[in-house]
Amino acid sequence: MTRLPARLARTGGILLDISFGGTPQPRAVTMGPRGDVRHAPTRLPFPLPNACVHTCVVTHVLEFLPPATFFAWWDELHRVLKPGGIVYCSGPYGGDESQGWLSDPTHQSRVVEQTFAWLDPRLPYYAEHAARGRKTPKPWHPQAITRVPGSNSTSSYNAILVKV
């Protein structure tokens, strides 16, 4: 983390890899218990400056977010991303048929295709936040959301979102 300010001054932005699984992206700044930024990916706030990230890869994190903090986590990611920044997310599909999601007792938030509609101001779900008595999250535009085969005959999701 001590090299991060110098890297930001030199590059103007970083590729951030926030993951509980998988191989880190080449040349990425990693955030996790053993990462470049030693910080739990589910803990808020992130110890990063505003608008310092141009691209973020999130792998196997969303399913571990407590439902009460799910939208606050997205707001924190919004804070550290540059305008127009891109987020690539993947994890176990949270549908009832997904053994990958259901079999892990530590999973807390289900993620399916419609989950990302709650972040998109162009879609009706976004307007429902106020009706449900919660703060409206910062806006995102999902670009692609797909259900894909996972490991061991499970299903996963892949999503690409852009900070609005």
Side-chain angles (χ1 to χ4, degrees), residues 91-104 107 110-112 147-148 150-151 153-157:
Y93 185 75
D96 288 339
E97 72 284 3
S98 178
Q99 292 305 310
W101 190 88
L102 293 170
S103 65
D104 188 336
H107 288 170
R110 290 182 178 221
V111 178
V112 297
R147 190 181 326 178
V148 298
S151 59
S153 301
T154 63
S155 295
S156 294
Y157 69 86

Side-chain angles (χ1 to χ4, degrees), residues 89-143:
C89 301
S90 66
Y93 185 75
D96 288 339
E97 72 284 3
S98 178
Q99 292 305 310
W101 190 88
L102 293 170
S103 65
D104 188 336
T106 64
H107 288 170
Q108 298 184 54
S109 287
R110 290 182 178 221
V111 178
V112 297
E113 297 91 342
Q114 294 84 357
T115 302
F116 299 100
W118 290 89
L119 298 167
D120 190 342
R122 303 170 297 182
L123 299 174
Y125 287 113
Y126 194 76
E128 288 292 313
H129 289 285
R132 294 170 186 247
R134 63 180 174 235
K135 180 181 168 231
T136 302
K138 303 286 186 207
W140 296 87
H141 284 176
Q143 302 297 300

